[in-house]
Amino acid sequence: MKARWPRLGVMVLFAALLVPGCRGGSAGTGLPDQDGNDAGEIPGDPGARDASDTVAGPHLKAGLAVRSLPAPVGIPTAGYGQVKRADNPRSPFADNFAATRAVHTPPLVKAVAFAKGGETLVVARLDLIGVFGGFLDAVVTRLKTDHSLDLDGRVILSCTHTHAGPGRLADNLVVSYAADTMFPEYFDLVTRAIADTVAEAVASLRDAEVGVAETANAEAHKDRRCQNPPLVDDTLGVLAVRRPGEGTPFAVLVNYAVHGTVLDWQDLTLSRDAPGAVEDGTREMLAPASGAPVEVLFLQGAAGDAAPVEPPPDPGFLDVPDIPSEWTSLEALGRSVARSVADALPTVTWVPDEDATIAIRTARLALDRGTLGYTGDEFPYPDGAIYCGFGQGGCLGDPGPPPTMDCLPMPEDPMVHQTFLTVARIGPVVLATMPGEPHAQVGLDLREALAGVVPSARVLVLGYSQSYLGYIMHEDDWRGGGYEPSMALWGWRFAGFAIGAATALLRTIVDPGRPFPYTEAPPLAWSNPAFLPREAEASATGPAILSAPRPVLDAGETVVVRFTGGDPWLGTPVVTLESDAGRGFGPHETVSGMPLTSLGPYATLDLAVEPAYETTMAPTPREFLWTARIPTTREIWTPGFPLKGRFRVRIEGFLRPSGQATSQPYVLVTDPFEVR
């Protein structure tokens, strides 16, 4: 996380987003129907089957699923500390934070499942700042109750740590200062969407091969801490997955360290930020001449002290007034990492099927001062602490005394006294999670420790995974002060503890008879927080296009469509640019298999409501005024741009008509226009 002072603490997707599901809502959006389905506590399911029941077999299998992560426009972003102001935009989805008003790239959940010999591993990458407390337990419970799948200990929730992702998902007072207060119904929707995506990935398991490569990229990130010598881990790990007999992978997992902090909370915009830009840029660069594009999953690394950097612009840079500079920065960063991935793919070492054995070990570790190794007066905070040093600490070499690292005690919270660590092997590939924000040195030390157990291993360090306990750093780094130590909830000894526990987990995988020398915590009783289902607000008017592009646009202009739609609780509309190449209109592809839609970075949406939420928060028929924007030229060279030809815009979404109790889908299509 990062605070601003003052600190107080794609067509497959169309079906998932827009086709009404069996629960009466919008499948894939994770949003409820208007009858309150899926409300309340998750019931038990004693009949849940072990995932291994469906994947027994001698050959490696893999499956993939991608869905929208619920994020109604108006939900606040998480990661930056915010000071509540009277002029903050309001929304029924925001409490103490400013409401978002726009979507740059909608948050997603992407899951890759692996199975062999009765063992299953699922890696789910989430556009969230982190997962807290009982989040993993809630997803595992929902997999059992909704899908009869027992994946306890076999699923990794890995967050991209975008600071432009949705908040309100942690029931913790301290976390609320960086993510707004808990929203129980929203928590239910998000965990359901994740479980549905994981289950879909498992259901799609088919024979597969994995390959691994490693390269480096030094230009897309930098060390943001000045309290210690400069250090950043440039390692870029690539795990590729393909079908036997196919040369092109269908999924590429990219492990790299870069904070998702290009956009600020004042932008009031939902975005996948830097991790999403890496995925989008890599998908473009790896797109085949025909057929389905490669899906890319960004797995965040040891990025606690790694800030994003905008590489120098490509030749031919243009100044397009309708494109915010932050979006261009994201595209440049994404292309830089994408080039590194593309260069690495020809060097991938494909693992023979007989060597692609899967093994996983997850531990629920007990945490307190004693288990972490504190003695005497060291870190005398029984429930952890925050604001250690209160931001003191000058840059390395600055005159002045060292910071006084006093802290504020954390309030008592059972979930702070346990955390999850997962180590998994797929042949020579080792994935190791860290429950927070590891600094570069911690990531390097973890990789070295695991390679000491399996010297031939390619280690992927997955920060921000399984749970979140703040920044993770060694003692010399912690005592230097600054922002990061102020948010290291268990101080400096947690780094060595986590590295040691992960190393011990890998040893138990290599030698199953070896004891695990760490105290494991008993599961906490978990049930979804109770809530009253929210009814989507009715739209004062039906769906209609209010303004559309002129019949002829010049290259460099922006396609702007304003329309009335539905309450964002029903999902964000999907906007698709369609082109006519002489055979009728169809989705316009920038590269093969990648339609230009608002699911990607080139068509954006913003929302205004009348009457404004600032005027009245009570349910009342409102006009939900959406605006879609598609610049016809990009500031840096982009496949498929500048746009030229005959186009129209198609809009698909849901609204609840005034006077009706249920929602309904709508489709809007503009008149054709030409871009010359």
Side-chain angles (χ1 to χ4, degrees):
M1 294 185 187
K2 183 178 180 182
R4 303 287 188 185
W5 293 108
R7 294 183 176 118
L8 299 181
V10 317
M11 299 304 292
V12 174
L13 275 171
F14 288 175
L17 285 163
L18 296 173
V19 177
C22 62
R23 295 183 176 273
S26 306
T29 64
L31 298 172
D33 65 20
Q34 304 318 302
D35 300 319
N37 291 339
D38 295 295
E41 189 169 309
I42 300 175
D45 179 12
R49 72 185 188 279
D50 192 288
S52 62
D53 294 344
T54 61
V55 297
H59 301 295
L60 180 70
K61 299 180 184 296
L64 171 70
V66 180
R67 290 194 177 202
S68 172
L69 195 69
V73 178
I75 199 79
T77 58
Y80 295 114
Q82 297 185 28
V83 179
K84 188 173 185 178
R85 300 191 309 234
D87 62 348
N88 279 356
R90 297 184 67 195
S91 160
F93 317 125
D95 187 7
N96 292 325
F97 281 17
T100 52
R101 285 290 180 260
V103 182
H104 168 241
T105 44
L108 301 173
V109 51
K110 303 181 181 184
V112 174
F114 301 95
K116 186 180 182 183
E119 189 58 277
T120 304
L121 167 67
V122 183
V123 180
R125 143 264 178 269
L126 317 172
D127 282 311
L128 298 175
I129 195 75
V131 290
F132 307 87
F135 198 104
L136 178 60
D137 286 328
V139 171
V140 169
T141 299
R142 190 169 283 286
L143 282 163
K144 293 177 182 177
T145 59
D146 289 5
H147 302 283
S148 297
L149 280 175
D150 184 358
L151 285 172
D152 193 9
R154 297 180 177 123
V155 59
I156 293 175
L157 302 182
S158 183
C159 298
T160 64
H161 197 61
T162 169
H163 282 47
R168 304 204 65 188
L169 293 170
D171 188 11
N172 181 284
L173 176 63
V174 173
V175 176
S176 71
Y177 288 117
D180 208 348
T181 58
M182 177 74 164
F183 185 176
E185 186 172 8
Y186 184 57
F187 181 95
D188 179 74
L189 301 177
V190 169
T191 53
R192 183 204 311 168
I194 295 168
D196 290 348
T197 311
V198 169
E200 184 181 339
V202 171
S204 69
L205 287 166
R206 290 170 45 206
D207 286 351
E209 299 173 331
V210 296
V212 63
E214 187 176 287
T215 185
N217 181 297
E219 70 173 5
H221 61 187
K222 66 179 180 181
D223 185 352
R224 76 181 194 188
R225 270 179 68 73
C226 68
Q227 289 84 3
N228 52 12
L231 176 66
V232 69
D233 184 2
D234 296 333
T235 305
L236 192 156
V238 175
L239 179 62
V241 191
R242 69 183 182 186
R243 300 299 178 196
E246 296 183 2
T248 301
F250 67 86
V252 172
L253 287 68
V254 177
N255 183 216
Y256 185 66
V258 60
H259 242 76
T261 51
V262 173
L263 299 185
D264 206 337
W265 71 266
Q266 291 96 333
D267 293 310
L268 306 177
T269 298
L270 292 163
S271 173
R272 301 194 288 268
D273 207 276
V278 170
E279 293 178 336
D280 293 334
T282 305
R283 291 184 79 223
E284 287 178 350
M285 195 161 290
L286 302 183
S290 63
V294 179
E295 190 55 72
V296 180
L297 288 77
F298 183 93
L299 302 179
Q300 188 63 270
D305 49 359
V309 172
E310 178 187 353
D314 292 335
F317 174 84
L318 300 172
D319 184 10
V320 180
D322 290 340
I323 299 179
S325 60
E326 294 89 347
W327 299 357
T328 299
S329 297
L330 286 170
E331 290 175 34
L333 185 155
R335 274 189 182 75
S336 170
V337 179
R339 282 191 288 267
S340 299
V341 176
D343 290 343
L345 278 178
T347 71
V348 164
T349 300
W350 293 98
V351 181
D353 185 70
E354 60 270 21
D355 296 335
T357 302
I358 296 176
I360 313 109
R361 178 72 194 273
T362 295
R364 185 191 298 260
L365 297 170
L367 299 176
D368 57 33
R369 292 183 66 251
T371 60
L372 293 173
Y374 292 113
T375 60
D377 293 332
E378 288 184 321
F379 202 74
Y381 308 103
D383 297 294
I386 59 169
Y387 298 142
C388 300
F390 297 90
Q392 302 176 62
C395 291
L396 193 67
D398 287 352
T404 302
M405 298 301 289
D406 294 328
C407 311
L408 285 180
M410 286 271 287
E412 184 178 355
D413 181 352
M415 290 307 301
V416 176
H417 287 279
Q418 59 178 246
T419 194
F420 296 95
L421 279 181
T422 297
V423 174
R425 283 192 71 179
I426 309 174
V429 182
V430 173
L431 295 84
T433 70
M434 282 280 108
E437 310 198 35
H439 285 198
Q441 188 62 62
V442 173
L444 291 168
D445 291 348
L446 174 60
R447 189 178 291 118
E448 181 180 3
L450 298 181
V453 178
V454 182
S456 60
R458 292 288 184 92
V459 179
L460 306 184
V461 175
L462 277 53
Y464 312 89
S465 297
Q466 304 296 65
S467 58
Y468 182 91
L469 290 170
Y471 287 86
I472 306 172
M473 68 202 72
H474 293 304
E475 182 174 4
D476 57 341
D477 199 357
W478 187 86
R479 294 198 181 280
Y483 168 64
E484 290 81 4
S486 74
M487 294 294 169
L489 303 188
W490 279 112
W492 71 90
R493 290 199 184 278
F494 185 64
F497 173 86
I499 292 171
T503 306
L505 283 175
L506 182 57
R507 288 196 176 105
T508 65
I509 289 175
V510 173
D511 179 6
R514 189 184 186 102
F516 181 62
Y518 286 80
T519 302
E520 297 194 58
L524 294 176
W526 172 257
S527 63
N528 226 38
F531 57 83
L532 292 175
R534 180 186 186 276
E535 185 178 76
E537 292 190 23
S539 296
T541 59
I545 293 175
L546 303 180
S547 65
R550 302 187 315 273
V552 178
L553 299 179
D554 292 325
E557 291 191 75
T558 296
V559 175
V560 180
V561 182
R562 294 184 172 88
F563 61 98
T564 54
D567 183 345
W569 190 244
L570 294 169
T572 303
V574 175
V575 175
T576 303
L577 183 70
E578 296 186 331
S579 58
D580 181 5
R583 298 182 299 275
F585 282 97
H588 179 73
E589 296 182 351
T590 54
V591 295
S592 178
M594 292 178 59
L596 196 161
T597 78
S598 54
L599 300 174
Y602 306 128
T604 60
L605 282 162
D606 59 61
L607 172 67
V609 296
E610 295 291 345
Y613 293 129
E614 288 81 355
T615 304
T616 172
M617 295 293 284
T620 183
R622 304 182 194 269
E623 282 193 314
F624 295 94
L625 306 170
W626 295 87
T627 302
R629 293 181 172 85
I630 307 172
T632 59
T633 303
R634 308 304 297 179
E635 292 195 330
I636 60 177
W637 180 86
T638 303
F641 287 88
L643 299 176
K644 188 175 182 180
R646 191 164 178 259
F647 301 94
R648 69 183 188 184
V649 174
R650 181 182 181 90
I651 301 157
E652 300 173 83
F654 288 86
L655 61 69
R656 178 187 162 206
S658 181
Q660 295 189 19
T662 58
S663 63
Q664 65 184 38
Y666 67 85
V667 177
L668 299 171
V669 182
T670 68
D671 290 333
F673 57 90
E674 182 182 357
V675 179
R676 62 185 183 186

